[in-house]
Amino acid sequence: MSEREIAQRLSISRYTVRKALDELEKKGYIYKVHGKGTFVSEKSVPSLVFTPHQEIASKLHVVTRDKVIKLKYLRTADDVPMMIEETYLPYSKFPTLTVDALSKNSLYSIMKTEFNQSIHVVSESMRASLISSNEAKLLKVEDGSPCLNVRRTSFNKLNEPIEFTSCIARGDQFVYNYKYIHQD
């Protein structure tokens, strides 16, 4: 969407749109490529605190009236979009989490150092799927392209869920490798 389209849609001036985009670029949330457009960077877009729908509430063991933090990332490799990642966190465990902190440290590092929450067990599932039209635009692939739909719930040492993540990974670029160590 162009600056003009954004301005028209929001009924604001192009100058206001340009200044807002400049600010987002300065903070590292987007980047501009001359002649190509503006793109979401790998940094998280500003977090959103909301009340979750039933699936998210169930995964995080919260009720639908509790607050949840949502972080959305577009992961790239060599400037090629690889994966769309949406992470949900129980607000009660991370009430002071900020986008600024996430721009300086990894989420897991912040969880451990600032909130005393460490991931102890992870439950992850993968299934083959097809990319939706919105996902296709972000990942720069054809609508209906194959993908891996990855869902992960992470638990702390008390077996409480502290993170639920849903990822759409390009099927033509993404490989998952696992190494299992069996202990007797």
Side-chain angles (χ1 to χ4, degrees), residues 50-66:
F50 71 107
T51 53
H53 55 74
Q54 187 56 48
E55 180 192 13
I56 302 300
S58 174
K59 295 289 186 186
L60 293 174
H61 296 183
V62 299
V63 295
T64 54
R65 66 180 173 273
D66 288 343

Side-chain angles (χ1 to χ4, degrees), residues 27-74:
K27 291 184 176 183
Y29 298 122
I30 62 172
Y31 63 96
K32 296 175 184 175
V33 178
H34 184 68
K36 298 279 186 184
T38 302
F39 304 92
V40 177
S41 70
E42 274 206 50
K43 277 188 182 180
S44 167
V45 296
S47 65
L48 174 67
V49 177
F50 71 107
T51 53
H53 55 74
Q54 187 56 48
E55 180 192 13
I56 302 300
S58 174
K59 295 289 186 186
L60 293 174
H61 296 183
V62 299
V63 295
T64 54
R65 66 180 173 273
D66 288 343
K67 291 181 184 176
V68 169
I69 299 168
K70 177 183 176 181
L71 304 170
K72 188 168 183 176
Y73 298 86
L74 178 63

Side-chain angles (χ1 to χ4, degrees), residues 3-103:
E3 287 179 5
R4 184 177 331 138
E5 292 169 321
I6 294 170
Q8 287 173 344
R9 182 179 240 178
L10 299 175
S11 299
I12 58 176
S13 72
R14 283 184 67 191
Y15 175 79
T16 302
V17 172
R18 193 172 302 118
K19 291 304 250 178
L21 291 174
D22 288 345
E23 187 67 24
L24 289 172
E25 184 178 29
K26 215 178 346 181
K27 291 184 176 183
Y29 298 122
I30 62 172
Y31 63 96
K32 296 175 184 175
V33 178
H34 184 68
K36 298 279 186 184
T38 302
F39 304 92
V40 177
S41 70
E42 274 206 50
K43 277 188 182 180
S44 167
V45 296
S47 65
L48 174 67
V49 177
F50 71 107
T51 53
H53 55 74
Q54 187 56 48
E55 180 192 13
I56 302 300
S58 174
K59 295 289 186 186
L60 293 174
H61 296 183
V62 299
V63 295
T64 54
R65 66 180 173 273
D66 288 343
K67 291 181 184 176
V68 169
I69 299 168
K70 177 183 176 181
L71 304 170
K72 188 168 183 176
Y73 298 86
L74 178 63
R75 302 291 188 186
T76 62
D78 296 325
D79 295 322
V80 175
M82 298 290 286
M83 177 171 42
I84 301 165
E85 181 179 281
E86 291 183 357
T87 297
Y88 302 90
L89 308 167
Y91 181 81
S92 61
K93 295 202 181 313
F94 308 101
T96 59
L97 180 66
T98 64
V99 173
D100 185 53
L102 289 167
S103 70

